[in-house]
Short mmCIF file of all heavy atoms in Angstrom, two decimals:
data_model
loop_
_atom_site.label_atom_id
_atom_site.label_comp_id
_atom_site.label_asym_id
_atom_site.label_seq_id
_atom_site.Cartn_x
_atom_site.Cartn_y
_atom_site.Cartn_z
N GLU A 561 -19.10 21.26 3.76
CA GLU A 561 -18.32 22.51 3.62
C GLU A 561 -17.31 22.32 2.49
O GLU A 561 -16.96 21.19 2.14
CB GLU A 561 -17.55 22.79 4.91
CG GLU A 561 -18.40 22.93 6.17
CD GLU A 561 -19.30 24.14 6.11
OE1 GLU A 561 -18.88 25.15 5.51
OE2 GLU A 561 -20.43 24.07 6.63
N PRO A 562 -16.77 23.42 1.94
CA PRO A 562 -15.80 23.28 0.84
C PRO A 562 -14.56 22.48 1.25
O PRO A 562 -14.13 22.56 2.39
CB PRO A 562 -15.40 24.72 0.52
CG PRO A 562 -16.43 25.57 1.14
CD PRO A 562 -17.06 24.81 2.27
N VAL A 563 -14.04 21.72 0.31
CA VAL A 563 -12.82 20.93 0.54
C VAL A 563 -11.84 21.20 -0.60
O VAL A 563 -12.24 21.29 -1.77
CB VAL A 563 -13.13 19.41 0.61
CG1 VAL A 563 -11.85 18.59 0.69
CG2 VAL A 563 -14.02 19.08 1.81
N VAL A 564 -10.57 21.37 -0.25
CA VAL A 564 -9.51 21.51 -1.24
C VAL A 564 -8.56 20.34 -1.02
O VAL A 564 -8.35 19.93 0.13
CB VAL A 564 -8.72 22.83 -1.04
CG1 VAL A 564 -7.69 23.02 -2.13
CG2 VAL A 564 -9.65 24.00 -0.97
N ALA A 565 -7.98 19.82 -2.10
CA ALA A 565 -7.10 18.65 -1.95
C ALA A 565 -5.70 18.98 -2.45
O ALA A 565 -5.52 19.76 -3.39
CB ALA A 565 -7.66 17.47 -2.74
N VAL A 566 -4.71 18.36 -1.78
CA VAL A 566 -3.32 18.57 -2.19
C VAL A 566 -2.56 17.24 -2.14
O VAL A 566 -2.91 16.35 -1.36
CB VAL A 566 -2.63 19.64 -1.30
CG1 VAL A 566 -2.39 19.13 0.13
CG2 VAL A 566 -1.33 20.12 -1.89
N ALA A 567 -1.57 17.12 -3.03
CA ALA A 567 -0.64 15.99 -2.97
C ALA A 567 0.74 16.56 -3.27
O ALA A 567 0.86 17.64 -3.88
CB ALA A 567 -1.01 14.93 -4.01
N PHE A 568 1.79 15.87 -2.83
CA PHE A 568 3.15 16.37 -3.04
C PHE A 568 3.97 15.39 -3.87
O PHE A 568 4.02 14.21 -3.53
CB PHE A 568 3.86 16.62 -1.70
CG PHE A 568 3.31 17.81 -0.99
CD1 PHE A 568 2.25 17.67 -0.10
CD2 PHE A 568 3.81 19.09 -1.22
CE1 PHE A 568 1.72 18.77 0.55
CE2 PHE A 568 3.29 20.19 -0.58
CZ PHE A 568 2.23 20.03 0.32
N ALA A 569 4.61 15.90 -4.90
CA ALA A 569 5.62 15.12 -5.62
C ALA A 569 6.95 15.44 -4.96
O ALA A 569 7.30 16.61 -4.80
CB ALA A 569 5.65 15.53 -7.08
N THR A 570 7.69 14.40 -4.56
CA THR A 570 8.92 14.59 -3.76
C THR A 570 10.06 13.80 -4.41
O THR A 570 10.42 12.72 -3.92
CB THR A 570 8.70 14.08 -2.33
OG1 THR A 570 8.23 12.72 -2.41
CG2 THR A 570 7.70 14.87 -1.55
N SER A 571 10.62 14.33 -5.48
CA SER A 571 11.53 13.50 -6.28
C SER A 571 12.76 13.00 -5.49
O SER A 571 13.19 11.87 -5.68
CB SER A 571 11.96 14.23 -7.55
OG SER A 571 12.46 15.48 -7.19
N GLN A 572 13.30 13.83 -4.59
CA GLN A 572 14.48 13.39 -3.82
C GLN A 572 14.10 12.25 -2.87
O GLN A 572 14.83 11.28 -2.70
CB GLN A 572 15.06 14.55 -3.00
CG GLN A 572 15.81 15.56 -3.82
CD GLN A 572 16.87 14.91 -4.70
OE1 GLN A 572 17.65 14.07 -4.26
NE2 GLN A 572 16.87 15.26 -5.98
N GLN A 573 12.93 12.41 -2.25
CA GLN A 573 12.48 11.38 -1.33
C GLN A 573 12.23 10.07 -2.07
O GLN A 573 12.55 8.99 -1.57
CB GLN A 573 11.17 11.85 -0.66
CG GLN A 573 10.86 11.11 0.62
CD GLN A 573 11.82 11.49 1.74
OE1 GLN A 573 12.11 12.67 1.94
NE2 GLN A 573 12.33 10.50 2.45
N TRP A 574 11.69 10.18 -3.27
CA TRP A 574 11.44 8.97 -4.07
C TRP A 574 12.76 8.24 -4.33
O TRP A 574 12.82 7.01 -4.26
CB TRP A 574 10.79 9.34 -5.41
CG TRP A 574 9.37 9.84 -5.28
CD1 TRP A 574 8.53 9.63 -4.23
CD2 TRP A 574 8.64 10.62 -6.24
NE1 TRP A 574 7.31 10.23 -4.47
CE2 TRP A 574 7.36 10.84 -5.69
CE3 TRP A 574 8.94 11.15 -7.49
CZ2 TRP A 574 6.37 11.56 -6.36
CZ3 TRP A 574 7.96 11.87 -8.17
CH2 TRP A 574 6.69 12.08 -7.61
N LEU A 575 13.81 9.04 -4.59
CA LEU A 575 15.12 8.42 -4.83
C LEU A 575 15.63 7.74 -3.56
O LEU A 575 16.10 6.60 -3.60
CB LEU A 575 16.14 9.49 -5.25
CG LEU A 575 16.23 9.82 -6.72
CD1 LEU A 575 17.26 10.92 -6.93
CD2 LEU A 575 16.62 8.57 -7.53
N ILE A 576 15.52 8.45 -2.44
CA ILE A 576 15.99 7.89 -1.17
C ILE A 576 15.24 6.60 -0.84
O ILE A 576 15.81 5.64 -0.34
CB ILE A 576 15.80 8.92 -0.02
CG1 ILE A 576 16.69 10.14 -0.25
CG2 ILE A 576 16.07 8.31 1.35
CD1 ILE A 576 16.35 11.32 0.63
N HIS A 577 13.96 6.57 -1.18
CA HIS A 577 13.14 5.39 -0.86
C HIS A 577 13.21 4.31 -1.96
O HIS A 577 12.48 3.33 -1.87
CB HIS A 577 11.68 5.81 -0.65
CG HIS A 577 11.46 6.49 0.68
ND1 HIS A 577 10.26 6.98 1.07
CD2 HIS A 577 12.30 6.74 1.71
CE1 HIS A 577 10.35 7.51 2.28
NE2 HIS A 577 11.59 7.38 2.68
N ASP A 578 14.04 4.54 -2.97
CA ASP A 578 14.20 3.57 -4.06
C ASP A 578 12.88 3.28 -4.78
O ASP A 578 12.68 2.17 -5.30
CB ASP A 578 14.77 2.23 -3.53
CG ASP A 578 16.21 2.38 -3.07
OD1 ASP A 578 17.00 2.99 -3.80
OD2 ASP A 578 16.53 1.91 -1.97
N ASP A 579 11.97 4.24 -4.81
CA ASP A 579 10.71 3.99 -5.53
C ASP A 579 10.99 3.81 -7.01
O ASP A 579 11.74 4.58 -7.61
CB ASP A 579 9.75 5.18 -5.33
CG ASP A 579 9.21 5.22 -3.91
OD1 ASP A 579 8.95 4.15 -3.35
OD2 ASP A 579 9.05 6.32 -3.37
N SER A 580 10.40 2.79 -7.59
CA SER A 580 10.71 2.49 -9.00
C SER A 580 10.03 3.50 -9.93
O SER A 580 8.96 4.03 -9.61
CB SER A 580 10.24 1.08 -9.34
OG SER A 580 8.84 1.06 -9.53
N PRO A 581 10.62 3.75 -11.11
CA PRO A 581 9.99 4.66 -12.07
C PRO A 581 8.57 4.21 -12.42
O PRO A 581 7.66 5.03 -12.53
CB PRO A 581 10.91 4.58 -13.28
CG PRO A 581 12.23 4.15 -12.74
CD PRO A 581 11.93 3.27 -11.57
N GLY A 582 8.38 2.90 -12.58
CA GLY A 582 7.04 2.40 -12.93
C GLY A 582 6.04 2.71 -11.83
O GLY A 582 4.91 3.13 -12.09
N LYS A 583 6.45 2.53 -10.59
CA LYS A 583 5.56 2.80 -9.45
C LYS A 583 5.19 4.29 -9.41
O LYS A 583 4.05 4.65 -9.16
CB LYS A 583 6.28 2.38 -8.16
CG LYS A 583 5.52 2.70 -6.90
CD LYS A 583 6.24 2.13 -5.70
CE LYS A 583 6.03 3.01 -4.50
NZ LYS A 583 6.77 2.55 -3.32
N LEU A 584 6.18 5.14 -9.71
CA LEU A 584 5.90 6.58 -9.69
C LEU A 584 4.99 6.98 -10.83
O LEU A 584 4.08 7.80 -10.65
CB LEU A 584 7.22 7.36 -9.72
CG LEU A 584 8.10 7.12 -8.49
CD1 LEU A 584 9.46 7.76 -8.65
CD2 LEU A 584 7.41 7.64 -7.23
N SER A 585 5.22 6.40 -12.01
CA SER A 585 4.34 6.70 -13.14
C SER A 585 2.91 6.29 -12.79
O SER A 585 1.95 7.00 -13.08
CB SER A 585 4.74 5.93 -14.39
OG SER A 585 6.08 6.13 -14.67
N PHE A 586 2.81 5.12 -12.17
CA PHE A 586 1.49 4.60 -11.81
C PHE A 586 0.83 5.50 -10.76
O PHE A 586 -0.35 5.81 -10.84
CB PHE A 586 1.65 3.16 -11.29
CG PHE A 586 0.36 2.43 -11.08
CD1 PHE A 586 -0.52 2.21 -12.14
CD2 PHE A 586 0.01 1.93 -9.83
CE1 PHE A 586 -1.71 1.52 -11.95
CE2 PHE A 586 -1.18 1.23 -9.63
CZ PHE A 586 -2.04 1.03 -10.69
N TRP A 587 1.62 5.95 -9.80
CA TRP A 587 1.10 6.84 -8.76
C TRP A 587 0.57 8.13 -9.39
O TRP A 587 -0.52 8.59 -9.09
CB TRP A 587 2.21 7.14 -7.74
CG TRP A 587 1.77 7.95 -6.55
CD1 TRP A 587 1.13 7.50 -5.44
CD2 TRP A 587 1.93 9.37 -6.37
NE1 TRP A 587 0.88 8.53 -4.57
CE2 TRP A 587 1.37 9.69 -5.11
CE3 TRP A 587 2.50 10.39 -7.13
CZ2 TRP A 587 1.35 10.99 -4.60
CZ3 TRP A 587 2.49 11.69 -6.62
CH2 TRP A 587 1.92 11.98 -5.37
N LEU A 588 1.38 8.70 -10.30
CA LEU A 588 0.98 9.96 -10.95
C LEU A 588 -0.28 9.76 -11.80
O LEU A 588 -1.17 10.60 -11.82
CB LEU A 588 2.12 10.50 -11.80
CG LEU A 588 3.27 11.12 -11.00
CD1 LEU A 588 4.51 11.29 -11.86
CD2 LEU A 588 2.85 12.46 -10.41
N ALA A 589 -0.34 8.64 -12.50
CA ALA A 589 -1.50 8.38 -13.34
C ALA A 589 -2.75 8.18 -12.47
O ALA A 589 -3.85 8.64 -12.82
CB ALA A 589 -1.25 7.15 -14.20
N ASN A 590 -2.58 7.54 -11.33
CA ASN A 590 -3.72 7.37 -10.42
C ASN A 590 -4.14 8.71 -9.83
O ASN A 590 -5.32 8.96 -9.61
CB ASN A 590 -3.37 6.38 -9.30
CG ASN A 590 -3.62 4.96 -9.72
OD1 ASN A 590 -4.76 4.49 -9.72
ND2 ASN A 590 -2.58 4.25 -10.12
N LEU A 591 -3.14 9.58 -9.62
CA LEU A 591 -3.44 10.91 -9.10
C LEU A 591 -4.28 11.70 -10.12
O LEU A 591 -5.20 12.42 -9.76
CB LEU A 591 -2.12 11.63 -8.82
CG LEU A 591 -2.17 12.80 -7.87
CD1 LEU A 591 -2.52 12.34 -6.46
CD2 LEU A 591 -0.81 13.51 -7.84
N GLN A 592 -3.91 11.52 -11.38
CA GLN A 592 -4.66 12.20 -12.44
C GLN A 592 -6.13 11.74 -12.46
O GLN A 592 -7.05 12.55 -12.55
CB GLN A 592 -4.00 11.90 -13.79
CG GLN A 592 -4.62 12.62 -14.98
CD GLN A 592 -4.25 14.10 -15.00
OE1 GLN A 592 -3.08 14.44 -14.91
NE2 GLN A 592 -5.24 14.96 -15.10
N VAL A 593 -6.33 10.43 -12.34
CA VAL A 593 -7.70 9.90 -12.32
C VAL A 593 -8.44 10.43 -11.08
O VAL A 593 -9.60 10.83 -11.15
CB VAL A 593 -7.70 8.35 -12.34
CG1 VAL A 593 -9.12 7.82 -12.23
CG2 VAL A 593 -7.04 7.82 -13.60
N LEU A 594 -7.71 10.45 -9.96
CA LEU A 594 -8.32 10.95 -8.73
C LEU A 594 -8.75 12.40 -8.90
O LEU A 594 -9.83 12.80 -8.45
CB LEU A 594 -7.31 10.83 -7.57
CG LEU A 594 -7.76 11.41 -6.24
CD1 LEU A 594 -8.89 10.60 -5.63
CD2 LEU A 594 -6.59 11.47 -5.25
N ALA A 595 -7.90 13.20 -9.56
CA ALA A 595 -8.23 14.62 -9.77
C ALA A 595 -9.55 14.74 -10.52
O ALA A 595 -10.39 15.60 -10.21
CB ALA A 595 -7.11 15.30 -10.54
N GLU A 596 -9.74 13.85 -11.49
CA GLU A 596 -10.99 13.89 -12.27
C GLU A 596 -12.18 13.50 -11.40
O GLU A 596 -13.24 14.12 -11.45
CB GLU A 596 -10.87 12.98 -13.49
CG GLU A 596 -9.93 13.57 -14.55
CD GLU A 596 -9.29 12.53 -15.45
OE1 GLU A 596 -9.82 11.40 -15.53
OE2 GLU A 596 -8.25 12.84 -16.08
N ARG A 597 -11.99 12.46 -10.57
CA ARG A 597 -13.08 12.02 -9.68
C ARG A 597 -13.43 13.13 -8.67
O ARG A 597 -14.59 13.37 -8.37
CB ARG A 597 -12.67 10.76 -8.90
CG ARG A 597 -12.33 9.55 -9.74
CD ARG A 597 -13.56 8.88 -10.32
NE ARG A 597 -14.51 8.43 -9.33
CZ ARG A 597 -14.80 7.17 -9.06
NH1 ARG A 597 -14.18 6.22 -9.72
NH2 ARG A 597 -15.73 6.85 -8.18
N LEU A 598 -12.37 13.77 -8.16
CA LEU A 598 -12.62 14.83 -7.17
C LEU A 598 -13.30 16.03 -7.82
O LEU A 598 -14.20 16.64 -7.22
CB LEU A 598 -11.29 15.26 -6.52
CG LEU A 598 -10.67 14.27 -5.55
CD1 LEU A 598 -9.25 14.69 -5.18
CD2 LEU A 598 -11.52 14.13 -4.27
N ALA A 599 -12.88 16.34 -9.05
CA ALA A 599 -13.48 17.48 -9.75
C ALA A 599 -14.99 17.27 -9.90
O ALA A 599 -15.79 18.20 -9.77
CB ALA A 599 -12.82 17.67 -11.11
N ALA A 600 -15.40 16.03 -10.13
CA ALA A 600 -16.82 15.72 -10.27
C ALA A 600 -17.56 15.95 -8.95
O ALA A 600 -18.77 16.18 -8.93
CB ALA A 600 -17.01 14.27 -10.73
N LEU A 601 -16.81 15.92 -7.84
CA LEU A 601 -17.42 16.17 -6.52
C LEU A 601 -17.30 17.64 -6.12
O LEU A 601 -17.66 18.03 -5.00
CB LEU A 601 -16.73 15.31 -5.45
CG LEU A 601 -16.78 13.79 -5.61
CD1 LEU A 601 -15.95 13.11 -4.53
CD2 LEU A 601 -18.22 13.30 -5.55
N GLY A 602 -16.69 18.43 -7.00
CA GLY A 602 -16.51 19.86 -6.69
C GLY A 602 -15.27 20.13 -5.86
O GLY A 602 -15.17 21.15 -5.19
N ILE A 603 -14.31 19.21 -5.89
CA ILE A 603 -13.07 19.38 -5.10
C ILE A 603 -11.89 19.49 -6.07
O ILE A 603 -11.74 18.64 -6.95
CB ILE A 603 -12.84 18.17 -4.17
CG1 ILE A 603 -14.00 18.02 -3.18
CG2 ILE A 603 -11.51 18.28 -3.43
CD1 ILE A 603 -13.96 16.75 -2.33
N SER A 604 -11.07 20.53 -5.90
CA SER A 604 -9.92 20.63 -6.80
C SER A 604 -8.68 20.03 -6.12
O SER A 604 -8.44 20.26 -4.92
CB SER A 604 -9.65 22.08 -7.20
OG SER A 604 -9.37 22.83 -6.06
N LEU A 605 -7.93 19.26 -6.90
CA LEU A 605 -6.71 18.63 -6.38
C LEU A 605 -5.50 19.34 -6.97
O LEU A 605 -5.43 19.54 -8.19
CB LEU A 605 -6.69 17.14 -6.77
CG LEU A 605 -5.40 16.37 -6.49
CD1 LEU A 605 -5.07 16.32 -5.01
CD2 LEU A 605 -5.50 14.94 -7.03
N HIS A 606 -4.57 19.73 -6.11
CA HIS A 606 -3.37 20.43 -6.56
C HIS A 606 -2.15 19.57 -6.30
O HIS A 606 -2.02 19.01 -5.21
CB HIS A 606 -3.21 21.75 -5.79
CG HIS A 606 -4.41 22.64 -5.93
ND1 HIS A 606 -4.40 23.78 -6.68
CD2 HIS A 606 -5.66 22.51 -5.43
CE1 HIS A 606 -5.60 24.34 -6.63
NE2 HIS A 606 -6.39 23.58 -5.88
N LEU A 607 -1.28 19.48 -7.27
CA LEU A 607 -0.03 18.74 -7.07
C LEU A 607 1.08 19.76 -6.85
O LEU A 607 1.39 20.56 -7.72
CB LEU A 607 0.28 17.87 -8.29
CG LEU A 607 1.58 17.07 -8.20
CD1 LEU A 607 1.53 16.07 -7.07
CD2 LEU A 607 1.85 16.34 -9.51
N GLU A 608 1.67 19.73 -5.67
CA GLU A 608 2.77 20.65 -5.34
C GLU A 608 4.08 19.89 -5.48
O GLU A 608 4.18 18.72 -5.09
CB GLU A 608 2.64 21.13 -3.90
CG GLU A 608 1.37 21.92 -3.63
CD GLU A 608 1.44 23.32 -4.20
OE1 GLU A 608 2.34 24.08 -3.76
OE2 GLU A 608 0.63 23.67 -5.07
#
Side-chain angles (χ1 to χ4, degrees):
E561 302 295 327
V563 173
V564 184
V566 70
F568 288 90
T570 53
S571 53
Q572 286 308 313
Q573 200 70 45
W574 290 339
L575 273 178
I576 294 167
H577 285 178
D578 292 314
D579 289 322
S580 77
K583 176 174 147 183
L584 296 172
S585 307
F586 189 60
W587 185 81
L588 286 164
N590 274 282
L591 200 67
Q592 184 74 52
V593 176
L594 175 68
E596 288 154 20
R597 300 285 302 247
L598 288 169
L601 300 175
I603 300 173
S604 61
L605 171 62
H606 303 252
L607 179 63
E608 298 285 299

